[in-house]
Amino acid sequence: MSKLESQDILCYIDSLLKYSNYSRAAQSLYISQPYLTKVIKKIEIELGCELITRNKLPYRLTEQGKIYYQYLTSLENSYAKLIREISYVSDVGNKVLRIGILPSLGSYLTPLFLPAFVDLHPACTINLVEDLPEKNEKRLQNNELDFWIGQNSSSISPNLNAVSWGRHRYRAVIPRCCELYQKHVAVIPEETFDISTILNQRLILTSKGSAIRKQIDQLLSVYKIQPQIVMESNEIRTVLNLAQHNMGVTIVPESVHIEEHASEYNIYPLPIDKISLDYFIAHHGERKLTSVDHDLIHTFLNHGQQCAV
């Protein structure tokens, strides 16, 4: 049986179960009712059993029909795997890697390791898909991406394999307009303030949907804080620059470079046991990694090992 036939028959059975009526099912499939009846009858003759109960409504699969339906579904899954493997081999041959990443994350993270990877594989083309984490995760699951780079690997789907840099700190930027600001102090020592005190200030945050914002929102919920959010932005550099220019407190990963400027703002390391992140690179669990794939992962990890806490 061809892929097309198995797919068609699955659609035919699904429509019959949905409408419990041959005429309406055929109409929904844009085929004639006699043709639909003929196809189902032919299969039942070949198998020597009924697939669908027709003596009462709604239609249901017989026990034999359930086995046949599972068989068709397994064909569909096998075909999907075939397409993934063909796509995988084609990508290897063309030396193209599709990598998903959040735009604000990619702006400062990819320069740290991609140049080293391209030095190893100058003929390899990198296609960056810059989008929200949930969209890139779905693309990776659907084989529309080869890799996904993100933050907080503990929250990703279990059918994805990820390796990470390890735990990293966040830091708060406290400008002059904030009551917590300390004159002539570049970096305020950790544990000077409770994290709830920081979260009760006027805040400039990354937009909802970002990995950072998810963690901050979780802390706001834990401490039952109604935040004073002055502004939100999709770009982490934007919230950082606004905080540095005295608009409000923001929170950024320690991997984002912040120049010390005690006369304008303080830098305050947040406790890693309260809030932390790990940068990860993930691939589908069924992907067979090539030497090129391994080199990409290794260059990613090599930088991370220099920075991890």
Side-chain angles (χ1 to χ4, degrees), residues 24-56:
R24 292 179 63 191
Q27 186 178 9
S28 72
L29 294 164
Y30 300 98
I31 59 176
S32 69
Q33 181 267 322
Y35 177 75
L36 177 58
T37 302
K38 179 182 176 182
V39 170
I40 298 299
K41 192 64 177 176
K42 179 182 177 183
I43 297 170
E44 289 181 331
I45 291 172
E46 288 178 354
L47 297 177
C49 64
E50 283 192 348
L51 298 177
I52 299 171
T53 58
R54 304 173 182 81
N55 55 350
K56 61 180 180 178

Side-chain angles (χ1 to χ4, degrees), residues 88 97 147 287-297:
Y88 160 76
L97 286 178
F147 290 94
R287 181 180 178 87
K288 296 179 181 178
L289 298 180
T290 68
S291 59
V292 175
D293 294 337
H294 283 296
D295 284 343
L296 177 69
I297 293 170

Side-chain angles (χ1 to χ4, degrees), residues 220-239:
L220 291 169
S221 176
V222 168
Y223 288 104
K224 297 179 172 57
I225 295 172
Q226 186 64 38
Q228 306 173 60
I229 301 175
V230 180
M231 187 174 175
E232 298 176 339
S233 172
N234 290 326
E235 295 293 334
I236 196 165
R237 289 289 178 184
T238 300
V239 299

Side-chain angles (χ1 to χ4, degrees), residues 14-213:
D14 286 339
S15 293
L16 283 169
L17 295 175
K18 179 179 180 181
Y19 293 105
S20 296
N21 181 284
Y22 271 80
S23 295
R24 292 179 63 191
Q27 186 178 9
S28 72
L29 294 164
Y30 300 98
I31 59 176
S32 69
Q33 181 267 322
Y35 177 75
L36 177 58
T37 302
K38 179 182 176 182
V39 170
I40 298 299
K41 192 64 177 176
K42 179 182 177 183
I43 297 170
E44 289 181 331
I45 291 172
E46 288 178 354
L47 297 177
C49 64
E50 283 192 348
L51 298 177
I52 299 171
T53 58
R54 304 173 182 81
N55 55 350
K56 61 180 180 178
L57 298 178
Y59 287 177
R60 291 286 185 265
L61 289 172
T62 63
E63 291 303 313
Q64 297 93 328
K66 291 176 183 178
I67 295 172
Y68 183 64
Y69 193 91
Q70 281 187 328
Y71 165 73
L72 293 178
T73 303
S74 69
L75 289 180
E76 287 287 292
N77 293 336
S78 296
Y79 186 79
K81 183 178 180 181
L82 171 66
I83 293 299
R84 284 198 301 270
E85 292 182 353
I86 289 175
S87 174
Y88 160 76
V89 171
S90 299
D91 287 344
V92 170
N94 294 330
K95 292 184 171 62
V96 175
L97 286 178
R98 304 160 299 174
I99 302 174
I101 196 167
L102 184 69
S104 58
L105 182 61
S107 65
Y108 64 87
L109 197 155
T110 53
L112 301 178
F113 74 95
L114 275 184
F117 171 75
V118 173
D119 283 344
L120 289 174
H121 299 280
C124 187
T125 299
I126 305 294
N127 289 344
L128 280 184
V129 179
E130 298 179 293
D131 209 338
L132 292 174
E134 55 267 29
K135 292 184 178 180
N136 276 331
E137 181 173 11
K138 186 174 182 180
R139 289 189 182 101
L140 187 61
Q141 290 175 318
N142 293 338
N143 199 46
E144 296 169 16
L145 290 175
D146 301 305
F147 290 94
W148 168 39
I149 295 172
Q151 306 168 90
N152 303 322
S153 59
S154 61
S155 63
I156 70 173
S157 174
N159 68 335
L160 304 179
N161 293 341
V163 291
S164 79
W165 285 5
R167 297 172 73 193
H168 287 248
R169 290 184 183 276
Y170 284 105
R171 295 184 292 179
V173 178
I174 304 173
R176 289 181 289 104
C177 66
C178 179
E179 64 183 7
L180 303 179
Y181 171 73
Q182 298 182 7
K183 292 182 179 180
H184 313 302
V185 177
V187 180
I188 298 176
E190 186 182 349
E191 299 183 356
T192 300
F193 310 119
D194 186 81
I195 193 168
S196 62
T197 304
I198 297 292
L199 295 173
N200 270 303
Q201 307 305 308
R202 287 164 53 89
L203 300 173
I204 305 169
L205 300 178
T206 53
S207 302
K208 283 188 175 294
S210 70
I212 297 173
R213 182 61 181 272

